[in-house]
Structure formats: structure tokens, C-alpha cells
Amino acid sequence: MTSATYPQADLRTLTETVDRLGRQASVTSSEVDELQEKHDALDGQVRALDERLDSLDQTAEEMREAHDGLREEVADDVAEIEAAVKSLTATIGWLERRVRAEQNITPVDVDHVDKPLRDLADRALKGRQSAAVLLSSDDRAIHEHHIEALRQLRQRIRSIGEQALRHSATLATTDRSSAEHRQAGAAFLKAHRAWTTARAQLGPTTAAAESATQVLRDDDERRAVHGPNVMTGESARTTLQSKLRERLTKVITDAALLPSWFTIALGHQPPATGTQRWIDTAVSLLVYRIMYKVNDPVVALGPAPSDHDDRRAWHRSLTEELRKTRY
């Protein structure tokens, strides 16, 4: 009887399990249908977004093309305006020269040099040439830094050595099992490592300092020879600039006709803005022409120098300054 009931119980259990699985399958099927509907809806939204993005990309591309076209038009307009302004400036200058020529008004020789001015220019040039063979203050500071680095390194080595000696004394006078002994041991090892590292730097640092010392010594010897010329030259240049500034100010105030090389480089008069910079550049131009005896009637700075590094550097600097100041 007992053996007959077990199959029936198993059958009921199996039936219940099948029913339960059927219900779960039905629920799962409903969930799958719901997820499919959501997927279809999301797919539709994605397609709509893709279409919208395509439209935005097309709009953005059209805007970029329009912007590029507008930028090219503006660049062309600016170039045309600049060309027109330069042409108009040249025309006005030519007309002014024609009018003044017909009235027998000759350009003012703003870079005229009499003997006192020539003496100032020669002393200024000699001072500039003397200064060119000396180290600049920045270069001297670099070499002085190498010497100071050696002094500091030697001081550091001495300080670390003294620390190591103190720790070694503690090690020699304390019990090996004491905390003080252990602390001194750790401190001694740390000091020893620092001392070893510092000593490794001593060779190259010493070589750099010795080289720097020799360079400064040589520069000091040159300063003893050229120093007076440098000081005299700086004083002469200051006086030369002052006299040329006065001359230029009077010429501008009198509305005198300026030479072609001057107007080509700087125009006929100072601008309404940046006036001080214009005058400073003009004075520097006059000093350069007088100091190096430039007499080119058209090119303000004359030909680019092929020798003398200092003069080439000044020529490049003035050329850039004239470019910024003129337009």
C-alpha cells in the first residue's frame, strides 16, 4: 500500500511543478512581449535621434561652410583695406613731397652729424663694442650660481659629517638593546647615505665652479680694460639720444618735411596712440644710423650687417620694432 502511494505523490508533485513552470513561462512570455514592445519603441526613438543628428550634422556643416566663406571674405576685405591704406599713405606722401618740392621745401636732414655729435656717436659705439666682449649680468649670475652651489654643497657635507659623528658617539656610549642606541643607528645610516650622495656630487660641482671662477676672473680682467669705455659710452649714448630727441621733437612741431627713408619706415608724424613708443623707436633709428654711419637715402637701417653679432642683433630688433610701430 505504501509503495502504491509514492508514485501518485510523485505524479502530483510533477503535475504541480509543470503547472508552476507553465505559469512562470506565461509570465515570462508576457514580460518578453513587454520588453519587445519597449525595444521596438526605443528602436524607433533611436532612428528618430539618428535622423535628427543627421539633420544637425548637415546644419553644422552648412554653418561651417558659411563661416569659412565669411572669414575668407573678411580676410580679403581686410587685405584690400590694408593695401588701400598703404597705397593712400604712399600717395599722400608723394603728393606732400611734390607740393613741398614745388615750393622749394627740402627735407630736414634729421640724421645730420656735426663734430660734437660725431664724437658722442663714436664714444657710444666704442662703449657698445667694449660691452659686447663682456659677460652680461645674466651670464655672470649663472657662473656665480655654480660657485655658490659648490659652497653650499661643501657646507652640507660638513654638516652631515658632524651629524654622523654625533650619532656614532651615541652608538659607542649606549647599550645596544636600548631605544636610544637603535635610534642613533638609524640616524647614522641615514646620515651616511646622505653624505655618500653629497660626496658623489662634489666632483662635477667642483669642476663647474672652477670653470665658472676662471670665466669670471677673465671677465673681471676684461672689465678692468674695457670698463671705462663702457661707462663713457653709456654716458655718451644717453646724451646723444637726448639731443636727437630734441631735434626730432622740433622737426615734428614745425611740421617740417622728413626724409624719404624716415617716412617709409615710420610715416610722416607720430600716431595719435602709442606716440611715446613711436618717438622712442624713431630716436633709436637715428642713433643706429648715426652710430654706424648709415646714409642710405631710402632704406632706414641700410643693408643688414654681415658681421658683428651685437650689431646684427640690434638690426633685427630695430627691424621688428619698426614693423610694429609703422602700422
Side-chain angles (χ1 to χ4, degrees):
M1 179 177 177
T2 303
S3 60
T5 58
Y6 277 112
Q8 292 178 357
D10 290 342
L11 181 61
R12 284 196 300 273
T13 300
L14 181 60
T15 302
E16 291 174 356
T17 300
V18 170
D19 291 341
R20 185 172 65 256
L21 290 174
R23 290 193 297 272
Q24 290 178 352
S26 177
V27 171
T28 301
S29 178
S30 299
E31 292 176 349
V32 169
D33 291 341
E34 184 178 353
L35 288 174
Q36 183 63 44
E37 291 177 359
K38 291 181 179 179
H39 175 271
D40 293 341
L42 288 173
D43 189 54
Q45 293 176 3
V46 168
R47 286 196 299 272
L49 287 174
D50 286 341
E51 293 175 357
R52 185 177 180 184
L53 286 175
D54 291 340
S55 176
L56 289 174
D57 287 341
Q58 183 178 356
T59 301
E61 181 63 27
E62 293 174 353
M63 292 180 67
R64 279 194 294 270
E65 292 176 356
H67 175 267
D68 292 340
L70 180 61
R71 183 171 57 185
E72 291 177 359
E73 292 178 4
V74 170
D76 292 340
D77 291 343
V78 169
E80 290 178 3
I81 292 172
E82 289 179 348
V85 169
K86 291 180 181 179
S87 176
L88 180 60
T89 301
T91 301
I92 291 174
W94 180 83
L95 290 173
E96 181 181 4
R97 288 193 297 273
R98 289 291 300 172
V99 169
R100 298 196 182 199
E102 291 175 359
Q103 298 179 3
N104 294 322
I105 301 176
T106 58
V108 176
D109 193 7
V110 289
D111 57 348
H112 169 70
V113 182
D114 54 17
K115 188 178 184 309
L117 214 61
R118 181 75 267 159
D119 290 342
L120 285 173
D122 289 344
R123 289 201 300 272
L125 178 58
K126 188 175 182 180
R128 186 179 181 93
Q129 291 171 339
S130 295
V133 302
L134 304 178
L135 291 177
S136 67
S137 58
D138 290 341
D139 288 336
R140 285 189 66 90
I142 292 173
H143 293 295
E144 289 167 354
H145 173 74
H146 289 314
I147 297 173
E148 176 63 18
L150 177 60
R151 188 194 67 78
Q152 293 182 2
L153 179 60
R154 286 174 173 170
Q155 177 61 37
R156 183 163 177 261
I157 291 173
R158 285 194 295 270
S159 177
I160 295 173
E162 291 171 356
Q163 293 175 23
L165 286 174
R166 288 196 300 270
H167 298 318
S168 64
T170 302
L171 289 172
T173 56
T174 56
D175 185 84
R176 297 175 64 88
S177 62
S178 67
E180 185 180 6
H181 188 92
R182 289 194 298 272
Q183 292 172 357
F188 177 83
L189 290 175
K190 181 178 179 182
H192 183 267
R193 285 194 295 268
W195 186 85
T196 302
T197 301
R199 287 284 300 177
Q201 298 171 359
L202 188 59
T205 304
T206 300
E210 290 176 349
S211 175
T213 299
Q214 185 60 51
V215 170
L216 291 176
R217 184 180 297 118
D218 293 342
D219 188 59
D220 289 337
E221 293 177 358
R222 288 193 297 269
R223 285 179 183 276
V225 176
H226 298 285
N229 289 336
V230 173
M231 295 181 62
T232 302
E234 289 177 351
S235 176
R237 176 170 177 147
T238 300
T239 304
L240 179 63
Q241 289 175 325
S242 178
K243 290 183 176 297
L244 292 176
R245 186 181 297 273
E246 291 176 2
R247 176 188 291 182
L248 182 61
T249 301
K250 185 178 186 306
V251 168
I252 295 172
T253 302
D254 294 343
L257 179 62
L258 291 163
S260 296
W261 60 263
F262 188 99
T263 57
I264 291 173
L266 287 165
H268 297 272
Q269 61 182 9
T273 58
T275 305
Q276 187 60 53
R277 178 177 180 176
W278 187 93
I279 292 176
D280 291 342
T281 303
V283 171
S284 295
L285 172 59
L286 291 174
V287 171
Y288 181 91
R289 282 181 67 93
I290 292 173
M291 190 178 293
Y292 291 110
K293 301 178 182 179
V294 177
N295 54 15
D296 194 302
V298 177
V299 182
L301 294 174
S306 58
D307 55 357
H308 302 298
D309 292 342
D310 178 64
R311 182 179 175 182
R312 283 202 302 270
W314 192 10
H315 187 280
R316 287 194 299 270
S317 175
L318 265 177
T319 299
E320 180 63 19
E321 192 61 28
L322 288 171
R323 185 189 65 81
K324 294 178 180 178
T325 305
R326 178 63 177 86
Y327 298 109

